[in-house]
Amino acid sequence: MMWGYGWDGGWMGPLMGVSAVLWWVLVIVVVLGVVRWLRSPQAPGVGPAPAERDAREILDRRYARGEIDAEEYTERRRVLTGS
C-alpha cells in the first residue's frame, strides 16, 4: 500500500515544476538588475554631491537662466577667480 506516494508524485510534480521556473526567473531578473546597475552612467554614491559642484558651473547656469544680471555675474566671477 503506497498511500498516494508513488512514483508519480501526486500534486508535488507540478508544484516542483512551477517553483523551478519561478526560481530561474528570479535569478535572471536579479542578474539583469545588477548588470544594469553596474552599467549605469551614474551609480548611486558615485561622483560629487550636488552641494560640492563647481561654483563656477553654478554661477554660469544661474546667469544662463537669467537669475542674475551681467554685472552681478561679472562681480561674482571676479570673486571666484580671485582677480
Side-chain angles (χ1 to χ4, degrees), residues 32-64:
L32 290 176
V34 169
V35 168
R36 185 174 180 176
W37 178 76
L38 289 174
R39 295 184 70 184
S40 67
Q42 180 99 15
V46 177
E52 299 173 4
R53 287 186 191 163
D54 184 37
R56 172 72 185 273
E57 179 184 339
I58 295 171
L59 182 63
D60 290 343
R61 289 181 186 200
R62 289 188 65 200
Y63 180 66

Side-chain angles (χ1 to χ4, degrees), residues 4 6-14:
W7 290 104
D8 64 347
W11 58 272
M12 290 293 289

Side-chain angles (χ1 to χ4, degrees), residues 59 62 68 71-80:
L59 182 63
R62 289 188 65 200
I68 56 176
E71 183 180 329
E72 186 175 357
Y73 174 78
T74 305
E75 175 62 25
R76 290 180 185 231
R77 185 173 168 192
R78 185 185 62 75
V79 170
L80 285 174

